[in-house]
Amino acid sequence: MEKLTSWDALKNYREKTCGQTSLLCVGEQDANRVVLAVGEATCGVAAGAKKIADTLQEEIDRLGLKNASIIATGCFGYCYAEPMVEVRMPGKPSVYYGYLTEEAARDIVVKHLVHGQLVENNVLPVEVNIP
Amino acid sequence: MSEKAAQVRIALRNCGVIDPENISDYIATDGYEALAKALFSMTPDEVIETVKKSGLRGRGGAGFPTGIKWETARKSQSDVKYVLCNADEGDPGAFMDRSLLEGDPHCILEAMALCGYAIGAQEGIIYVRAEYPLAVKHLQLAIRQAEALGLLGDNILGGDFSFHLSLYFGAGAFVCGEETSLMNSVQGGRGEPRIKPPFPAVSGLWNAPTNINNVETYANIPQIIRNGWEWFRQFGTEKSPGTKVFALAGRVNNVGLVEVPMGTPLRTIIEDIGGGIQGGRRCKAVQTGGPSGGCIPAEHLDTPIDYESLAGLGSMMGSGGMIVMDEGDCMVGIAKFYLTFTAEESCGKCTPCRIGNRRLLEMLTRITEGEGRMKDLDELDILGNIIKDTALCGLGMSSPNPAISTLRFFRDEYEAHVRDKRCPAGTCKKLVGYKILEDKCMGCTVCARNCPVSCISGARKKVHVIDQKRCVKCGVCHSKCPFDAIARG
Ligand SMILES: Cc1cc2nc3c(=O)[nH]c(=O)nc-3n(C[C@H](O)[C@H](O)[C@H](O)COP(=O)(O)O)c2cc1C
Ligand code: FES
């Protein structure tokens, strides 16, 4: 990696590629992408997040969804509802799912990612203000 | 995301949002922008002025104004200075700092570099518990990534400022979270505190001026520098600006990590964010401040959360543990739980803390076992206050708080233990017993089948009996009996 040697270099770096794998910034080529953000902090892992992430990946592979990818984030604070996953799609508000089981994880991939339907039972009402 | 949400996330803004193992995610959310802004458009004094005006106070417990601490460290003349991060997080049940370090490690690195620039230090150390392996891993990775991009190390972003960061692992002693003990520990000495002054900002690690802040305190810094102190002050109260992160636990439905503006009533946290008490029961008290704090009774739930209000109720903000209790929790038992912890963790250097806490614990133990005397109640209060007044460090100065505050608000519960040999919550094992009510028992055998020590006998459809000698008072029969035929008393 090349070192950034000025404030402008930092700004340019940010504008180029930053946050793209996680869909924190979105370009034209990202329009059809989906990111599943699984909470994999200690609390999430203790609740079984790794198994859920594996299940999501298996299902994505099985269905050959080339536009979907998984990232691991930290704790979102909703520890009571772990394991949880956030479904990010460009231009749409995120959907947060909690209390995940392997079955629910497979449901999310099939229903939400393929058919665009919510998996109602696992939707978490998330109310936080990030100013 | 909602504008009117009770939760406002400043410190936690990236937690659960970015991938903490990917520096590009942090930079995408304006990471390292505050550092660049400071290095290229602000003098160190301007950085300190901004932190001072923001009114940010330490989130590690005592609430000391961060800007004033930084200013003192800046004014202390020395070639070598240090920036320390206190990531020891010793309060039982607290996990705010762990989540921050795991979920947003770069934000702590950026804040420490900012502090280094402001006070004139080139070296920083994060004192992190070895029991936090994921936090350690993410920190190590973050340091390597930041160095590779020239955001840490020599000549940051091509400028004159250099700052190096390393980790030091704490071995899990509560007292090592106290700043002077922490520095002794880093120097390879015993984790024992020393008298202050001199304060670390004047003479700290290796006798050099040292700024030490808590993880959450640092987590606010980049936002303050990037957005300005006025922005920060729109949240929270006049004397306690900003937000506070709490680890919400106990009898609420939604346990987890919450961040609310200072001044939010306790009730909002418990009812709106926490989703109320489990099983529709009633809240009895809220414990804040962990082993240094106290229990706030339910009638004070409308108290706004800020440093002064909580202290006024004999508790304290502490680092952010918040345990919600209901009728099933015994207040004497809670005080004993915390005193057991602090008596165990006392380093032993000063007499009031080493011996005084033992005596407090003995009194509390007597009371919970039905051996208490009425004069113990007064002595608890007197001795507790003597320890607070005379202990060497913050451990002893605050360890009697759980006992003093429960005695203040729940004296009747203490008296029930002493006078009536009764535990109203039914949790003090020596004071509860279980008895099968002959007129109600249907002989269904549920209790006998569920008793873990098989001390209940009786034929089918005949009244059962508990062998009191073998009963361990676990209460399983009481909760399982379908006919309410088991009395607790
Ligand atoms: C017994 C004891 C334990 C402490 N444990 C911690 C801790 O785990 N984390 C922490 O940040 N501060 C802890 N403190 C407070 C520190 O001594 C110090 O005040 C704090 O790190 C200062 O940072 P702040 O101004 O940002 O809050 C503890 C204090 C005492 C007396
Ligand atoms: S401060 Fe450690 S024993 Fe008193």
Side-chain angles (χ1 to χ4, degrees):
Chain A
M1 225 184 286
E2 212 166 297
K3 290 198 177 185
L4 307 172
T5 50
S6 66
W7 192 356
D8 280 337
L10 175 67
K11 283 181 183 148
N12 291 337
Y13 183 84
R14 172 176 305 123
E15 269 151 33
K16 248 194 332 214
T17 56
C18 279
Q20 211 164 9
T21 41
S22 308
L23 282 179
L24 294 174
C25 76
V26 188
E28 275 167 31
Q29 69 279 22
D30 298 314
N32 292 315
R33 281 182 52 207
V34 185
V35 162
L36 300 175
V38 181
E40 291 189 30
T42 296
C43 46
V45 171
K50 295 268 189 213
K51 186 79 209 159
I52 297 300
D54 289 347
T55 308
L56 291 167
Q57 189 64 57
E58 278 162 24
E59 202 63 6
I60 287 170
D61 292 344
R62 188 178 70 81
L63 297 170
L65 306 179
K66 297 243 164 4
N67 61 337
S69 54
I70 297 180
I71 63 161
T73 64
C75 167
F76 196 62
Y78 288 63
C79 308
Y80 65 95
E82 303 261 25
M84 65 178 287
V85 63
E86 174 193 354
V87 180
R88 290 184 193 161
M89 297 184 185
K92 292 189 189 150
S94 282
V95 177
Y96 297 84
Y97 290 113
Y99 306 102
L100 295 181
T101 56
E102 286 171 55
E103 197 189 343
R106 278 189 285 268
D107 266 5
I108 288 170
V109 177
V110 176
K111 285 201 186 138
H112 192 141
L113 269 52
V114 179
H115 298 293
Q117 296 163 351
L118 287 184
V119 180
E120 301 278 359
N121 283 340
N122 294 87
V123 174
L124 275 186
V126 163
E127 289 230 331
V128 293
N129 174 12
I130 302 178
Chain B
M1 310 285 151
S2 143
E3 281 297 311
K4 56 176 188 349
Q7 288 208 57
V8 175
R9 295 197 171 171
I10 295 175
L12 290 177
R13 62 193 280 270
N14 285 330
C15 271
V17 176
I18 65 168
D19 172 357
E21 297 191 29
N22 186 350
I23 191 171
S24 134
D25 267 21
Y26 181 64
I27 292 177
T29 58
D30 290 321
Y32 291 104
E33 188 62 20
L35 181 59
K37 178 181 175 184
L39 294 184
F40 300 114
S41 75
M42 296 168 85
T43 64
D45 286 320
E46 282 166 353
V47 172
I48 289 176
E49 200 55 26
T50 307
V51 177
K52 264 172 84 179
K53 283 195 175 139
S54 77
L56 176 66
R57 298 170 65 173
R59 305 297 196 233
F64 189 82
T66 305
I68 294 178
K69 215 187 240 187
W70 288 25
E71 188 175 46
T72 314
R74 171 157 186 81
K75 286 192 178 144
S76 302
Q77 296 295 328
S78 173
D79 295 341
V80 180
K81 296 182 187 180
Y82 294 100
V83 177
L84 285 183
C85 174
N86 190 340
D88 199 45
E89 194 160 61
D91 287 14
F95 57 94
M96 301 76 52
D97 297 347
R98 186 191 73 207
S99 294
L100 271 164
L101 297 169
E102 288 180 354
D104 195 10
H106 283 285
C107 133
I108 306 303
L109 313 192
E110 183 180 6
M112 291 178 72
L114 277 162
C115 177
Y117 175 68
I119 70 168
Q122 272 109 52
E123 200 177 326
I125 299 172
I126 303 175
Y127 189 92
V128 56
R129 293 176 70 118
E131 296 99 319
Y132 283 177
L134 194 60
V136 168
K137 179 179 162 220
H138 286 181
L139 283 170
Q140 284 170 333
L141 187 62
I143 292 172
R144 254 184 282 138
Q145 290 175 342
E147 282 171 350
L149 272 183
L151 295 163
L152 274 183
D154 289 329
N155 301 96
I156 293 176
L157 285 171
D160 307 330
F161 176 63
S162 301
F163 190 72
H164 296 265
L165 261 180
S166 57
L167 304 185
Y168 195 94
F169 303 124
F174 178 57
V175 76
C176 283
E178 195 280 334
E179 54 197 22
T180 60
S181 309
L182 186 151
M183 293 185 298
N184 271 339
S185 164
V186 174
Q187 291 173 198
R190 290 179 66 136
E192 283 180 349
R194 61 158 174 80
I195 287 174
K196 293 185 279 189
F199 288 94
V202 175
S203 174
L205 190 63
W206 309 112
N207 298 327
T210 302
N211 183 76
I212 176 163
N213 278 120
N214 166 258
V215 173
E216 189 188 333
T217 315
Y218 281 125
N220 285 288
I221 297 285
Q223 296 312 303
I224 293 173
I225 299 300
R226 197 162 58 81
N227 299 316
W229 61 269
E230 299 94 333
W231 173 86
F232 187 72
R233 275 199 172 270
Q234 50 171 322
F235 308 102
T237 65
E238 177 64 30
K239 282 191 166 166
S240 305
T243 57
K244 179 78 193 84
V245 180
F246 290 99
L248 186 61
R251 311 282 185 175
V252 283
N253 282 309
N254 305 342
V255 300
L257 208 59
V258 307
E259 180 170 355
V260 291
M262 295 276 193
T264 302
L266 279 166
R267 190 183 298 285
T268 307
I269 298 186
I270 294 165
E271 291 177 4
D272 299 351
I273 302 173
I277 309 289
Q278 291 163 5
R281 291 158 67 110
R282 275 190 32 239
C283 174
K284 175 163 153 187
V286 182
Q287 210 283 342
T288 68
S292 323
C295 288
I296 298 169
E299 59 263 31
H300 291 285
L301 279 193
D302 291 311
T303 307
I305 297 179
D306 58 59
Y307 294 94
E308 282 73 23
S309 304
L310 294 186
L313 287 170
S315 186
M316 70 183 246
M317 181 78 85
S319 56
M322 185 176 281
I323 302 172
V324 181
M325 291 174 284
D326 70 9
E327 296 107 324
D329 293 301
C330 169
M331 293 297 126
V332 191
I334 294 291
K336 186 180 148 210
F337 168 81
Y338 282 112
L339 250 303
T340 308
F341 177 81
T342 35
E344 183 79 11
E345 294 290 338
S346 168
C347 72
K349 188 171 177 179
C350 77
T351 315
C353 174
R354 181 181 68 241
I355 301 178
N357 281 324
R358 279 281 150 207
R359 295 289 96 86
L360 285 184
L361 179 58
E362 284 164 6
M363 281 186 230
L364 289 167
T365 305
R366 271 207 300 276
I367 296 171
T368 54
E369 293 183 348
E371 310 284 328
R373 299 160 294 203
M374 281 313 273
K375 83 174 200 317
D376 281 341
L377 303 191
D378 297 324
E379 279 179 8
L380 256 184
D381 200 53
I382 296 169
L383 179 59
N385 281 302
I386 292 174
I387 297 171
K388 284 179 67 161
D389 288 343
T390 53
L392 168 61
C393 86
L395 196 157
M397 288 181 213
S398 61
S399 56
N401 285 349
I404 294 176
S405 83
T406 47
L407 189 59
R408 169 174 163 198
F409 290 115
F410 299 95
R411 196 177 172 98
D412 52 338
E413 216 169 306
Y414 275 83
E415 287 176 357
H417 283 77
V418 174
R419 200 179 289 144
D420 315 334
K421 311 289 175 219
R422 191 173 63 83
C423 172
T427 60
C428 292
K429 289 203 169 162
K430 289 255 165 95
L431 299 182
V432 292
Y434 294 90
K435 214 177 79 197
I436 298 181
L437 304 171
E438 290 179 18
D439 53 331
K440 285 200 178 158
C441 176
M442 308 292 279
C444 74
T445 75
V446 163
C447 57
R449 277 183 283 127
N450 281 288
C451 175
V453 293
S454 307
C455 75
I456 306 183
S457 56
R460 235 185 128 65
K461 301 197 176 168
K462 292 271 157 50
V463 172
H464 281 48
V465 276
I466 300 175
D467 178 353
Q468 295 296 345
K469 280 207 207 71
R470 282 164 48 223
C471 173
V472 292
K473 302 177 179 177
C474 67
V476 166
C477 54
H478 178 74
S479 58
K480 294 272 179 183
C481 176
F483 306 106
D484 289 332
I486 296 182
R488 180 167 71 189

